[in-house]
Amino acid sequence: MPGLAILLALYPAIPGVSDGLGWTAHHNAVVSVSWNLVMFGIGMLVSRHLRRFDARRVWCAGLAVMAVGYTLVGFFHGDELQLIVTSCVADLGSGVVVAVAPVLVIGVVSPDEQGLGSGMLNMLISLFGAVVTAGAYAVLGAHSTTVEGTAFCLDAGYSGIFWLGAAVTVVALVLSVFIPRLRDPEEDPADG
């Protein structure tokens, strides 16, 4: 979703043709620093204190906040302030999810399978990222106009991609009920 938000920022605002914001790349970078710092900061904070909480519940809370954030971005993305506030909410959840995902993998696989589990996590992130991105471009394409061979995106498409992100996040939240109880690393016998 953040990668597709760049299209919203950089495409021009042409009434009836393109509903982009028409920002420069520099302006977009300055505006997006806020939500990227939120994601980084919350990820660091959560990772430092994760042992105190059930990682599955923290994961679910992160997904819920992320879904709310993407839903809000779908409704409110018309200027800098709207994008900063709504994207900060989405990236608050994203930072939690990114911090907790490796802990969930390590907590459900045996110590001998941790490398395999981590590799599967990275592979699945790439796979689902590609599938969701293709879906998002289909949504954008369905809500676009073409002028002299160039497709311009309309607001319904931008809203749709963020709502797609919210829907995928809600599906992940529902599937999270199947995450088994995590192993406590301190319960494992020491190698020696």
Side-chain angles (χ1 to χ4, degrees):
M1 298 301 111
L4 294 168
I6 293 172
L7 298 177
L8 167 65
L10 300 182
Y11 265 57
I14 306 169
V17 176
S18 176
D19 290 327
L21 297 173
W23 297 347
T24 64
H26 179 263
H27 185 76
N28 181 55
V30 169
V31 172
S32 66
V33 162
S34 59
W35 60 79
N36 288 307
L37 287 174
V38 165
M39 184 175 177
F40 177 76
I42 195 67
M44 294 292 288
L45 182 70
V46 167
S47 64
R48 287 182 155 246
H49 301 287
L50 198 52
R51 281 192 177 264
R52 299 179 190 170
F53 305 100
D54 180 352
R56 295 173 301 171
R57 290 183 182 189
V58 176
W59 165 265
C60 289
L63 286 172
V65 171
M66 197 165 121
V68 168
Y70 281 142
T71 300
L72 290 172
V73 177
F75 284 111
F76 306 105
H77 55 261
D79 60 33
E80 290 93 339
L81 181 60
Q82 288 181 358
L83 268 176
I84 288 171
V85 171
T86 57
S87 295
C88 280
V89 172
D91 276 6
L92 187 68
S94 297
V96 171
V97 168
V98 168
V100 177
V103 174
L104 293 176
V105 170
I106 289 171
V108 297
V109 300
S110 72
D112 295 336
E113 297 172 327
Q114 287 179 359
L116 178 63
S118 296
M120 288 293 294
L121 171 64
N122 289 325
M123 185 196 68
L124 289 171
I125 288 170
S126 297
L127 174 67
F128 285 105
V131 170
V132 171
T133 300
Y137 275 108
V139 169
L140 277 176
H143 301 284
S144 65
T145 57
T146 303
V147 177
E148 296 182 18
T150 301
F152 293 93
C153 305
L154 300 172
D155 190 62
Y158 294 122
S159 294
I161 61 172
F162 293 114
W163 294 332
L164 173 65
V168 168
T169 305
V170 167
V171 169
L173 182 58
V174 170
L175 292 175
S176 294
V177 301
F178 297 107
I179 298 173
R181 188 180 83 73
L182 303 183
R183 249 183 335 91
D184 185 349
E186 294 175 3
E187 294 174 2
D188 291 330
D191 291 304

